[in-house]
Amino acid sequence: MKFLKTALTLAKEAVYTLHKSSTRAHIQKKAKDWGVKMELVAELRYDLPASYKFHKKKSVDIHVDFLRFSKT
């Protein structure tokens, strides 16, 4: 969230980000607290490959939100 807040301070108009869909309510609350508008552009699935040997699956699909933040 620090990265997103910094991006918003540097942006002239908008910031686009990807976040896990399960965190949407938290991110909406932060956007409201920061006084920016959050728009859900798309709901996507992201194929996340195994990163470590102890991962049991070769990959897993996670649900992500493509979000647009704009200054209001």
Side-chain angles (χ1 to χ4, degrees):
M1 296 306 296
K2 287 182 181 183
F3 181 82
L4 177 58
K5 189 168 185 177
T6 300
L8 287 166
T9 61
L10 297 172
K12 291 182 181 180
E13 289 188 37
V15 174
Y16 292 86
T17 64
L18 292 171
H19 292 274
K20 285 180 67 175
S21 297
S22 62
T23 63
R24 187 183 306 164
H26 173 71
I27 295 169
Q28 283 175 323
K29 182 183 180 308
K30 286 295 188 182
K32 185 178 179 183
D33 292 346
W34 296 338
V36 296
K37 179 182 173 189
M38 184 186 100
E39 177 186 353
L40 177 63
V41 177
E43 295 180 54
L44 309 164
R45 281 191 347 217
Y46 180 75
D47 181 38
L48 184 64
S51 303
Y52 300 100
K53 290 182 181 182
F54 62 83
H55 286 157
K56 295 177 181 168
K57 297 179 183 178
K58 283 192 168 193
S59 68
V60 65
D61 282 345
I62 58 171
H63 295 271
V64 295
D65 292 341
F66 181 47
L67 304 172
R68 180 182 193 268
F69 295 87
S70 58
K71 299 177 182 183
T72 54

